Amino acid sequence: MRLLAAAALAIAAPAAAQVGAVRLNGVGFAPGAPKRAIVETTATRPLAWQVTGADGRVLLRGRTVPYGRDAASGRSLHRADFSALRRPGNGLVVKVGDSTSPRFAIAAHPYAALARDALAYFYHNRAGTAIEARLVGERWARPAAHTREYATCVSGKDTRSNDWPNCGYAMDVTGGWYDAGDHGKYVVNGGIATWTLLNLYERLPTRFGDNSLRVPEANNGTSDLLDEARNEVEFLLKMQVPEGRRMRLPVDQPDASKPLRFSEVEIGGMAHHKVADRNWTALPMRPDRDREERVLHPPSTAATLNLAAVAAQCARIWRTIDAGFARRCAEAADRAWAAAERNGAIYFVSDFTGSGNYGDSDLTDERFWAAAELYATTRDARYLAVLQGSSFLQQSAREPGWPSVSALGLVSLALTDTPLRAEARQRIIAAADGWTRERDRTGFAIPYAGTRFAWGSNSNLLNRAMLIALAYDWTREPRYRAAVVDVMDYLLGRNPVGRSYVSGYGTDPMRAPHHRFWAAGIDPAYPPPPPGVVSGGPNNGGSRTDGVEGMAADCAPMACWSDNARAFALNEVAINWNAPLAWVAAWLDATEPAA
Ligand code: 9MR
């Protein structure tokens, strides 16, 4: 006992070599928010820290709390908690021994600008329309691209030698957003990204009103956030197959590696999985210079259920804003749901080159999500029956992501006035509890305790943060809001790489994303990324990251990242990643605690 107490009391004056980097959020902190730095050090006893102002004056002192070795980052760590410092200031630093953190600020509303910039991502990436200098500035302006996108189905042998028939028609699928660094437009990823923006509107309906964002629709009397989201909803609606069409497709064959058997299916009401270039285009590539043929890929049940879900959400939101559009969405949702019930197992199993795959062999969560949106919008008992029989209502919410969307349905049930509201909230709160407990088991204090950093790992954290934020809304438990701040702290510099993953914000921000137009990292004639764009983040998924310049071959899981424009598996940007960044930044801004 006595020994322990003595050790806890001793504050070592650290030898210089003992203390490595001091990591923190380089944007800074709201006055009333929790404020933490992570110190890389093998010291076993607490170390003295101090926060100093721009003039060198010491504003607060304390001692670190040793954490020990952290598996994900491969570092030994301490934490310094300076939450007690509330007075606004700029140019502050945390010092531990001879190590000094990057500069940061304490100021009200540190996330206001980031939320707007993160939303600007979507206008920048619109297809089919010119990106205007008056809205984005000269360097990011570009001519309209893919302006008359009439596409027919890709046919013939794919890379696995399955022979795909043509669908026999062409459709106008102009518009929407490009997915990511590539110019593909994928319904499943468009689905989750649009849902996230629309959900942000449902959570904060007055936050991004008319004239709040830099979009061409400003001054039309409608929320700019809705204007932006509608651009993609219109595209998703265009991807729906007209009634009466038939096509030969593989039915109930989720295993893409096996040779496929085709049979004739009535596909009216389904959604095509994607439209994209026939071949991968070069990097860089301003989109209007793309000369590849644009091809539709076959309809899939996954895309159809995504369309049903988002169109149902659209019908509910636009009911009082644009009744005609809301009706169009409602009809599309009905038709998509009916088509998915008829064709419940048309998996996306073709494998043509030129675009990402977005295949998914488990569609139970997509069906749950679509039923939840339709129920939240219509209160029709047939959707209730689907929901009540579903395991997703019986277990903690799962981390949302493009292949795993059940939580999106839970959120919509939790935010609308239905008999399932209380139950849905409980499932989200249970998940938030689990993730905040994970947070307590990690050296960098993030709500993910694993050592597998998947493709787009930053978006997984943001999606967790979004659900944890909702748990805070319903409980007002400070630890939930603190965990959301932790995710932003991590993204903006409090990580073992010591960089911010968001362009233009935080500590030494990301500069060279994998993006065909924001390609200054490859060709200086192209622009750098605009501010507010989040990198996919660390990915320790084996061969995908081998040989990436600037990254150690033996990188610790959380450090497998490089600011490298060719490293698409870890430094790409994407609509479904920037959407939760915007959501979380806007939410933090709107729920700022009193100083
Ligand atoms: O985000 C997707 C990730 O979950 C997958 O593991 C990866 C490989 O299939 O694909 C990612 O999505 C990419 C898509 O296929 C094409 N456009 C860029 C997307 C982001 O990298």
Side-chain angles (χ1 to χ4, degrees), residues 39-395:
V39 186
E40 299 188 354
T41 174
T42 52
T44 52
R45 291 187 300 170
L47 303 172
W49 58 255
Q50 55 188 47
V51 180
T52 59
D55 57 2
R57 244 179 354 127
V58 177
L59 302 172
L60 193 71
R61 294 175 197 276
R63 63 183 87 166
T64 63
V65 177
Y67 172 84
R69 180 116 185 127
D70 171 51
S73 64
R75 271 63 163 184
S76 294
L77 306 169
H78 285 199
R79 293 185 188 172
D81 189 325
F82 51 101
S83 306
L85 189 62
R86 288 161 175 257
R87 189 167 336 124
N90 281 309
L92 312 182
V93 292
V94 178
K95 288 187 182 166
V96 187
D98 284 345
S99 295
T100 303
S101 77
R103 293 181 180 281
F104 65 95
I106 296 180
H109 296 288
Y111 296 110
L114 174 55
R116 280 192 305 272
D117 280 342
L119 286 172
Y121 176 98
F122 296 89
Y123 173 59
H124 276 280
N125 284 285
R126 282 196 200 179
T129 184
I131 307 306
E132 298 178 54
R134 70 181 171 99
L135 298 172
V136 296
E138 285 296 339
R139 70 204 306 210
W140 287 296
R142 57 175 174 80
H146 305 112
T147 47
R148 271 184 300 277
E149 209 173 352
Y150 286 92
T152 187
C153 296
V154 59
S155 57
K157 289 209 168 144
D158 70 7
T159 58
R160 296 197 192 90
S161 294
N162 288 306
D163 201 355
W164 291 80
N166 194 299
C167 48
Y169 52 84
M171 299 204 310
D172 175 3
V173 292
T174 311
W177 306 309
Y178 299 122
D179 188 54
D182 64 319
H183 298 140
K185 301 192 295 186
Y186 310 81
V187 171
V188 288
N189 214 41
I192 184 172
T194 310
W195 179 90
T196 305
L197 296 195
L198 290 179
N199 182 261
L200 174 58
Y201 174 82
E202 290 192 288
R203 171 64 186 79
L204 297 172
T206 57
R207 200 82 185 164
F208 300 99
D210 195 17
N211 290 315
S212 65
L213 301 175
R214 303 188 69 81
V215 292
E217 298 83 0
N219 228 1
N220 66 352
T222 304
S223 149
D224 287 350
L225 174 56
L226 286 189
D227 288 336
E228 189 56 67
R230 179 168 178 164
N231 177 68
E232 181 76 358
V233 176
E234 297 273 10
F235 161 71
L236 297 173
L237 296 176
K238 288 180 178 177
M239 292 292 274
Q240 189 165 33
V241 178
E243 289 311 302
R245 296 284 177 182
R246 304 180 73 80
M247 185 180 175
R248 289 175 67 76
L249 286 173
V251 179
D252 204 3
Q253 293 165 71
D255 184 353
S257 68
K258 300 227 174 88
L260 302 173
R261 288 161 282 106
F262 291 77
S263 45
E264 188 158 298
V265 186
E266 192 192 320
I267 56 172
M270 293 187 78
H272 284 275
H273 199 70
K274 56 178 171 172
V275 57
D277 290 310
R278 183 182 278 283
N279 295 292
W280 285 110
T281 57
L283 182 73
M285 171 69 65
R286 207 175 66 185
D288 58 295
R289 294 180 181 141
D290 175 9
R291 294 290 167 261
E292 280 293 330
E293 184 194 356
R294 302 286 283 181
V295 284
L296 276 177
H297 290 254
S300 69
T301 307
T304 306
L305 288 168
N306 268 262
L307 172 63
V310 175
Q313 192 188 18
C314 159
R316 154 170 103 236
I317 291 173
W318 268 276
R319 205 145 39 196
T320 53
I321 298 168
D322 180 342
F325 183 53
R327 256 193 316 276
R328 260 215 292 146
C329 282
E331 280 162 24
D334 277 351
R335 288 210 297 128
W337 176 261
E341 289 296 277
R342 190 169 71 237
N343 296 324
I346 310 240
Y347 299 95
F348 187 77
V349 284
S350 70
D351 189 31
F352 288 94
T353 183
S355 51
N357 197 293
Y358 287 116
D360 185 351
S361 57
D362 179 357
L363 305 179
T364 53
D365 54 309
E366 279 77 8
R367 184 164 181 264
F368 176 83
W369 176 34
E373 298 300 341
L374 280 155
Y375 181 59
T377 301
T378 65
R379 312 290 147 86
D380 186 325
R382 68 196 157 118
Y383 304 119
L384 181 60
V386 173
L387 297 171
Q388 280 172 331
S390 165
S391 64
F392 296 114
L393 213 54
Q394 261 90 70
Q395 51 185 265

Side-chain angles (χ1 to χ4, degrees), residues 24-37 82 104-108 110-111 485 489 494:
L24 50 68
N25 175 341
V27 166
F29 309 88
K35 304 172 194 73
R36 274 182 283 258
F82 51 101
F104 65 95
I106 296 180
Y111 296 110
V485 174
D489 286 354
R494 201 185 75 192

Side-chain angles (χ1 to χ4, degrees), residues 337-551:
W337 176 261
E341 289 296 277
R342 190 169 71 237
N343 296 324
I346 310 240
Y347 299 95
F348 187 77
V349 284
S350 70
D351 189 31
F352 288 94
T353 183
S355 51
N357 197 293
Y358 287 116
D360 185 351
S361 57
D362 179 357
L363 305 179
T364 53
D365 54 309
E366 279 77 8
R367 184 164 181 264
F368 176 83
W369 176 34
E373 298 300 341
L374 280 155
Y375 181 59
T377 301
T378 65
R379 312 290 147 86
D380 186 325
R382 68 196 157 118
Y383 304 119
L384 181 60
V386 173
L387 297 171
Q388 280 172 331
S390 165
S391 64
F392 296 114
L393 213 54
Q394 261 90 70
Q395 51 185 265
S396 296
R398 296 192 184 172
E399 174 181 290
W402 67 262
S404 179
V405 289
S406 53
L408 313 186
L410 284 176
V411 170
S412 288
L413 294 173
L415 289 177
T416 49
D417 186 15
T418 77
L420 299 177
R421 174 182 261 184
E423 218 172 324
R425 287 188 179 185
Q426 282 318 312
R427 302 299 171 257
I428 292 165
I429 292 169
D433 274 335
W435 295 332
T436 43
R437 276 198 300 273
E438 279 191 56
R439 175 207 168 279
D440 300 335
R441 299 200 302 272
T442 62
F444 275 90
I446 55 167
Y448 171 68
T451 52
R452 170 77 182 97
F453 281 70
W455 192 313
S457 64
N458 283 343
S459 74
N460 296 340
L461 282 171
L462 284 163
N463 279 326
R464 285 188 177 198
M466 187 172 75
L467 266 60
I468 298 171
L470 291 168
Y472 176 79
D473 284 341
W474 304 321
T475 63
R476 295 277 143 185
E477 292 235 22
R479 70 198 158 97
Y480 293 135
R481 194 175 187 285
V484 179
V485 174
D486 281 319
V487 168
M488 279 304 201
D489 286 354
Y490 168 83
L491 292 177
L492 294 167
R494 201 185 75 192
N495 58 58
V497 181
R499 302 273 313 261
S500 165
Y501 293 113
V502 180
S503 57
Y505 286 89
T507 310
D508 191 7
M510 180 272 279
R511 279 179 203 87
H514 179 79
H515 189 276
R516 275 175 173 65
F517 182 52
W518 302 330
I522 291 176
D523 179 347
Y526 278 77
V533 179
V534 67
S535 159
N539 175 358
N540 65 340
S543 59
R544 289 162 179 171
T545 52
D546 286 351
V548 170
E549 221 177 289
M551 196 176 80

